[in-house]
Amino acid sequence: MLLSLVACQPMQERTHDQGLARGTAPDSQQRDPGLPARRETLQAPPTLDIGPANAAGPIRLQVGQALRVHLPASPASGYRWELQEPTALLSIEADPGGDPLTFTRLGSDSRFMSWRFRAKDTGITLLKFRYGRPWETGADSGRTETFHIDVR
């Protein structure tokens, strides 16, 4: 009969009682008195959306913050934007020209091409994009946009 009553006790009570029987304090008493009782949730800064109008000034980000770059496009004409030089300060999370198995498209608006980056480290870098046809090469082919990124 006694065995059935122990089996019916809630698991939390049995664990607490067992801990006291072994001479260990419950979890609430094992906490370092110098630490706060509850953890504060840190929120990531909001995602920053930019376009060609933002190329004139520096773009300031915090480490961990997401950045979306939206550039006007006309895919039917064969023109598209290409990221010229990836940077070590930003990781690419979405690339409209990337492998569909590893990258996801941002939205379904065909008038824009969009990239999503995440700031990984502090420093200053450039994001350079070229607008042109992939088969046309040369210094004068296509338009360019350069964003000055400052990660703090």
Side-chain angles (χ1 to χ4, degrees):
M1 182 75 167
L2 181 61
L3 180 59
S4 64
L5 291 176
V6 172
C8 294
Q9 287 182 342
M11 183 61 126
Q12 184 179 16
E13 289 178 14
R14 279 190 288 156
T15 304
H16 175 73
D17 292 342
Q18 289 169 352
L20 290 177
R22 287 189 304 245
T24 59
D27 291 338
S28 63
Q29 294 176 1
Q30 291 179 355
R31 185 178 30 221
D32 183 352
L35 296 177
R38 62 184 181 105
R39 293 183 185 177
E40 302 221 5
T41 304
L42 298 177
Q43 290 185 347
T47 299
L48 182 60
D49 289 291
I50 63 171
N54 302 103
I59 309 298
R60 289 186 176 84
L61 299 172
Q62 295 177 15
V63 172
Q65 187 173 10
L67 171 71
R68 280 191 301 240
V69 179
H70 305 283
L71 298 171
S74 179
S77 66
Y79 284 89
R80 66 180 198 164
W81 288 98
E82 292 179 347
L83 177 62
Q84 295 297 292
E85 299 172 19
T87 173
L89 297 181
L90 303 173
S91 62
I92 300 174
E93 292 185 344
D95 177 353
D99 179 359
L101 298 177
T102 58
F103 294 108
T104 58
R105 288 191 176 273
L106 296 174
S108 60
D109 191 348
S110 63
R111 297 175 299 151
F112 292 92
M113 292 183 75
S114 299
W115 289 258
R116 186 175 56 236
F117 301 90
R118 185 149 321 259
K120 296 188 318 185
D121 201 0
T122 59
I124 297 174
T125 190
L126 298 175
L127 277 179
K128 297 178 184 180
F129 295 89
R130 179 187 165 273
Y131 187 65
R133 293 182 173 133
W135 60 87
E136 294 175 347
T137 59
D140 294 338
S141 65
R143 174 178 152 199
T144 61
E145 289 291 348
T146 303
F147 298 95
H148 300 267
I149 308 295
D150 181 5
V151 183
R152 298 177 181 199

